[in-house]
Amino acid sequence: MDVYTFDKSFLERLREAEAVLSWDGAVMPASQVRSEWKSFVELQIEPAGWQAIWKIPRVICEDLKLRYPTIVYGSVDQVIFDELKAVFCVTAVQDNDVHLPERNEVSLIELWPTLQQENSALNVDTTAECIDRLRFFYTHVWLPWDKDHDDDRDWVQMHLQARIQLACDLSKNKLPRTLALHIRTLLMEARYIQQRLEFLELDLSDAEEESEDEALALSDNAGGAKSKRTTNSPSQKQANISLNKSNLPVTDLMCLHLRLAIIRSEFEILENPEMRRAYSELQSHTLKRQLLHRGSGNADNLRNDAHTCYLVTQPSELSQQLDLLTLAKQYVRPETLVQLGNNLQDVLSICKPNDNILLAPGLHTIKFLEHLNDNGSIKGLVEPGAAVLAETEKTPNDKLATVSSSDEDSILMVIDGDYTLSHLLLDCRNVRRGILLRAGTLLLDGCRLIGDGCSSTQEGIVCMPQAKLLLQGCVIESFAVGVSLQAQSSAEFNDVKLKKCTTGLEVLDKSVVVNLQGSNCLFKDCKFGILADNYQLPDSSEKTMTLARYIDLKSYNKSNLMGSCEFRNCQRNVRVLNESDQLSKRTYKCLLEDDLAGENKENIN
């Protein structure tokens, strides 16, 4: 059940989007833009009867407690042209644990038409091409606040060319890395907020309708008479409960609208090419000042100096600072240059990729838009042998170096080369992904990663193809997925505990190499200890299979699965998804990589 894919360049898609909005010089407000796309879609898309894959949006996955991305197969019963939506009927799901309504109203850009169609007479080629154009426009050109533009303003004249130029600059890596990463982060956050707002507003309107229905029912029960409300009335208590349910969504709506307004004001400046240039120059001058401030009269010479170690401390008494310096002496070679840093964010912005960073105990917040690589390291300052963080539940957090995001970012850290993280508490509660390992080898030694324990889409570590993950004495807890290993990746676990996760370890292909060294690897209080995807089961008709032991899974992949582990209080120790039951292995991989490409906080040259 593969989907249509189109090998068109970024520039070609931009020109096609511009062609749809070609105008005769008359004013085209934002509302007219949607009308133009509606007219285009009406001529191109089959109105009903075609099969497609639906990629369920993240906000819906979070609400329904589904892993992300989740895709389902079905057919389009009706296209709602005025709203650029479709009524989608679910036919098949990947997982028996996924329960969805049979009919769903979904956005057209969430659908990917399949190559195999029950009705060969339908013109699905044109339908798929049209949806791909529409998806491109609403992903790369249109922004969430555009729908709020005044109808007396010419949206096309004001924004179209500027947006196309910005999209081209981002695509061709013409912008400075930090600026490009900042813009991509803003765009991704804005689109997620838009989805969240639409979902909350719909939920709130449903709650209001339910409250009205309850009020009518109470009125009918009273025989139409106006009765006084009493505080002890069970019906009144129920009504109060219903009203109180909307308090949190209302607060969320206010916060999201405020954050979106802040993003909009910043983005409207960066949309202007001249302002982008000024912003880049300001960033460059700031970086140079930071480098010069480190004590050298020549910033360029400083970048080529000897290997440097940065020590980031917290405000404390002089005696405590001296103790930290004494402790740091045990981690630093005599010939290494040492630089004191005010905070981790500043140090990350000026250090070289192979520099080492030592963190004092306490909270260190970052909004770091670069990647980490080239044999550098970040280490928490602890007494040697005193902090085996696999048991950090017994260690007060103020005694540990804690790294967290300073904003609701998508990823805490991106690694694309060899790197080491030691004796750290990585607080991932307000990010959607803790670590994205794109390439190289990442060593986590004595680290603890904690998630929010609520989200069904939050991941601790995602390991991309060809990357290698080494975990020693680590704890990963309270994530939807503790560790996710993509095809062709590898991981070694030694004395690792995965706790309170929906899925502790996710092995997404038989090509993944896993070595659970020793006998101290533990999966505790997880819904699924290990989830193995794309395995060939003995009974090809079965979607899934549950195993009690890791050794039983090893029998299906002896060459790539090694070692042993213990399961404690998991609902299912090992769950295997059948290879033959995949809706579309290539489709799932394509959609997953597309999602990661939009969230990896990188601009690879």
Side-chain angles (χ1 to χ4, degrees), residues 381-401:
L381 277 175
V382 294
E383 291 288 346
V388 179
L389 294 189
E391 299 297 334
T392 49
E393 296 89 340
K394 302 176 183 178
T395 307
N397 287 349
D398 60 357
K399 301 296 183 182
L400 303 173

Side-chain angles (χ1 to χ4, degrees), residues 261-491:
I262 294 172
I263 294 174
R264 175 179 180 176
S265 62
E266 185 173 359
F267 195 87
E268 286 178 345
I269 295 174
L270 297 175
E271 186 177 326
N272 185 304
E274 294 300 322
M275 296 303 294
R276 286 202 299 274
R277 190 174 299 110
Y279 183 92
S280 299
E281 291 176 358
L282 179 62
Q283 281 189 322
S284 177
H285 292 327
T286 302
L287 178 58
K288 288 179 180 178
R289 285 197 300 270
Q290 288 176 322
L291 293 171
L292 290 169
H293 184 66
R294 290 166 52 186
S296 170
N298 189 315
D300 293 331
N301 289 340
L302 190 59
R303 296 302 293 175
N304 296 320
D305 61 10
H307 189 59
T308 304
C309 178
Y310 293 85
L311 174 58
V312 182
T313 64
Q314 301 279 352
S316 62
E317 296 177 356
L318 180 60
S319 60
Q320 293 176 311
Q321 297 287 14
L322 291 174
D323 290 341
L324 282 173
L325 289 173
T326 302
L327 181 58
K329 189 175 180 180
Q330 303 177 53
Y331 290 88
V332 181
R333 295 178 180 177
E335 68 277 9
T336 302
L337 297 179
V338 177
Q339 173 70 40
L340 299 182
N342 292 329
N343 57 68
L344 181 57
Q345 178 69 49
D346 289 345
V347 168
L348 287 172
S349 66
I350 63 175
C351 70
K352 293 183 295 187
N354 62 346
D355 285 337
N356 296 322
I357 301 172
L358 298 178
L359 298 183
L363 179 62
H364 303 268
T365 58
I366 60 172
K367 189 175 179 65
F368 185 53
L369 301 179
E370 290 280 1
H371 52 236
L372 303 170
N373 58 12
D374 200 18
N375 290 302
S377 69
I378 302 177
K379 299 180 181 179
L381 277 175
V382 294
E383 291 288 346
V388 179
L389 294 189
E391 299 297 334
T392 49
E393 296 89 340
K394 302 176 183 178
T395 307
N397 287 349
D398 60 357
K399 301 296 183 182
L400 303 173
T402 302
V403 180
S404 70
S405 173
S406 60
D407 203 349
E408 291 193 4
D409 221 336
S410 58
I411 303 175
L412 183 61
M413 293 182 178
V414 176
I415 315 290
D416 80 334
D418 297 342
Y419 209 77
T420 300
L421 302 172
S422 304
H423 306 312
L424 299 173
L425 172 59
L426 301 181
D427 186 348
C428 308
R429 286 177 291 185
N430 63 336
V431 295
R432 292 199 289 271
R433 187 171 291 116
I435 298 174
L436 175 61
L437 177 57
R438 291 189 55 85
T441 299
L442 172 64
L443 169 62
L444 273 77
D445 183 13
C447 291
R448 180 184 177 199
L449 283 76
I450 56 172
D452 63 10
C454 300
S455 172
S456 66
T457 67
Q458 190 181 48
E459 298 163 311
I461 303 173
V462 175
C463 195
M464 298 296 285
Q466 309 304 324
K468 184 175 183 179
L469 176 65
L470 304 176
L471 298 178
Q472 295 178 178
C474 294
V475 172
I476 301 174
E477 63 177 295
S478 301
F479 290 95
V481 178
V483 177
S484 178
L485 301 175
Q486 308 294 314
Q488 305 298 325
S489 65
S490 63

Side-chain angles (χ1 to χ4, degrees), residues 68-121:
Y68 181 82
T70 290
I71 61 175
V72 296
Y73 174 73
S75 60
V76 172
D77 191 52
Q78 176 190 357
V79 175
I80 309 172
F81 293 104
D82 287 342
E83 301 179 28
L84 299 178
K85 293 183 177 181
V87 177
F88 183 77
C89 299
V90 176
T91 304
V93 297
Q94 286 180 297
D95 193 333
N96 287 331
D97 287 348
V98 175
H99 302 288
L100 295 168
E102 183 180 348
R103 292 167 61 87
N104 302 270
E105 192 173 293
V106 307
S107 174
L108 283 173
I109 64 175
E110 297 166 9
L111 297 177
W112 276 259
T114 58
L115 293 172
Q116 295 78 29
Q117 295 288 324
E118 294 178 1
N119 186 352
S120 58

Side-chain angles (χ1 to χ4, degrees), residues 170 173-184 280 283 369-371 373 416 601-605:
L170 287 171
N173 297 329
K174 290 185 176 181
L175 301 180
R177 175 185 286 273
T178 53
L179 177 59
L181 295 169
H182 181 58
I183 291 174
R184 284 196 172 115
S280 299
Q283 281 189 322
L369 301 179
E370 290 280 1
H371 52 236
N373 58 12
D416 80 334
K601 299 171 65 175
E602 282 199 81
N603 183 29
I604 301 172
N605 292 316

Side-chain angles (χ1 to χ4, degrees), residues 170-237:
L170 287 171
S171 173
K172 296 180 179 180
N173 297 329
K174 290 185 176 181
L175 301 180
R177 175 185 286 273
T178 53
L179 177 59
L181 295 169
H182 181 58
I183 291 174
R184 284 196 172 115
T185 302
L186 289 177
L187 289 172
M188 186 192 61
E189 185 181 359
R191 293 193 175 103
Y192 177 77
I193 288 175
Q194 179 195 26
Q195 291 183 344
R196 191 69 187 158
L197 281 171
E198 291 174 352
F199 186 79
L200 286 174
E201 287 167 353
L202 179 62
D203 196 39
L204 196 59
S205 64
D206 290 343
E208 290 173 352
E209 290 178 4
E210 289 176 5
S211 297
E212 290 175 1
D213 292 341
E214 289 176 0
L216 288 173
L218 288 172
S219 177
D220 292 341
N221 291 337
K226 294 183 179 179
S227 60
K228 293 183 180 179
R229 296 182 178 180
T230 61
T231 55
N232 295 325
S233 167
S235 298
Q236 178 62 30
K237 289 181 180 179

Side-chain angles (χ1 to χ4, degrees), residues 463-530:
C463 195
M464 298 296 285
Q466 309 304 324
K468 184 175 183 179
L469 176 65
L470 304 176
L471 298 178
Q472 295 178 178
C474 294
V475 172
I476 301 174
E477 63 177 295
S478 301
F479 290 95
V481 178
V483 177
S484 178
L485 301 175
Q486 308 294 314
Q488 305 298 325
S489 65
S490 63
E492 292 183 9
F493 292 36
N494 188 0
D495 190 19
V496 176
K497 295 178 175 60
L498 294 106
K499 304 166 51 178
K500 301 177 184 178
C501 296
T502 304
T503 300
L505 172 63
E506 188 176 64
V507 180
L508 294 179
D509 194 80
K510 286 189 71 174
S511 63
V512 174
V513 177
V514 178
N515 186 359
L516 305 182
Q517 298 179 349
S519 59
N520 295 322
C521 292
L522 173 66
F523 296 86
K524 181 180 178 182
D525 298 324
C526 297
K527 182 178 180 181
F528 307 116
I530 299 175

